[in-house]
Amino acid sequence: MARPRTIADATIFAAILRVIALEGDGAVTFGAVARATGLAAATLAQRFGTRDGMLRAALIWAWEGLEQATEQAAALSDTPQGFLKALTGEGAGAADLALLAVALRDPVLRQRAADWRARVEAVLALHLGRGAKGQEAAALLFAAWQGQQHW
């Protein structure tokens, strides 16, 4: 069977995230992604440069999806519970949140995670009350929610 000539980045990134979910980020190699996508490992190397570059591109793509889902959930939810439920539903599910923890070793992606956390806490604070008490309650709720997602 002939190998496909081109595959969209989103398809490659989804395959990388599946590899991470099944085997961890250490299993992400040009060979593993080549097997998952049907592309040649050399094509992936040419496209992304390094394994870390390929992994980073996939994680940035995942962050973009989570940030989009966060904004949609914020627009559609009128309670903190509804907002968090929307974030853990289909699309931006708990598995996606766990996969993004891989990004915390990369300083650029770690900053993106911090920015996302600040955005989630800001949305929660809007529902819980503005000011220091609302922000503190939002931070506690975020921590409890994330703990629940990981445990």
Side-chain angles (χ1 to χ4, degrees):
M1 177 163 109
R3 291 184 184 269
R5 289 184 180 259
T6 60
I7 291 182
D9 284 347
T11 302
I12 296 168
F13 298 154
I16 291 168
L17 296 179
R18 279 193 305 278
V19 170
I20 294 170
L22 294 172
E23 304 175 48
D25 64 306
V28 175
T29 63
F30 288 128
V33 177
R35 285 188 296 280
T37 62
L39 287 173
T43 300
L44 292 166
Q46 183 178 19
R47 196 165 180 172
F48 296 105
T50 65
R51 175 231 182 246
D52 288 341
M54 180 175 66
L55 182 59
R56 185 182 217 199
L59 292 170
I60 287 171
W61 177 78
W63 272 112
E64 289 168 357
L66 181 57
E67 289 162 351
Q68 221 173 29
T70 300
E71 294 309 315
Q72 289 172 349
L76 298 174
S77 303
D78 55 359
T79 65
Q81 297 87 347
F83 173 62
L84 295 179
K85 208 177 243 188
L87 280 179
T88 54
E90 291 299 314
D96 295 333
L97 295 173
L99 288 173
L100 294 176
V102 172
L104 298 179
R105 289 187 293 255
D106 181 306
V108 171
L109 296 175
R110 188 170 43 249
Q111 182 59 53
R112 197 158 192 166
D115 293 344
W116 175 76
R117 178 183 181 158
R119 177 65 181 133
V120 171
E121 287 181 7
V123 171
L124 292 172
L126 286 174
H127 295 297
L128 298 170
R130 297 173 193 221
K133 287 194 182 218
Q135 290 172 348
E136 184 179 342
L140 290 170
L141 184 55
F142 179 88
W145 173 63
Q146 282 297 287
Q148 183 182 24
Q149 293 304 305
H150 293 292
W151 287 100

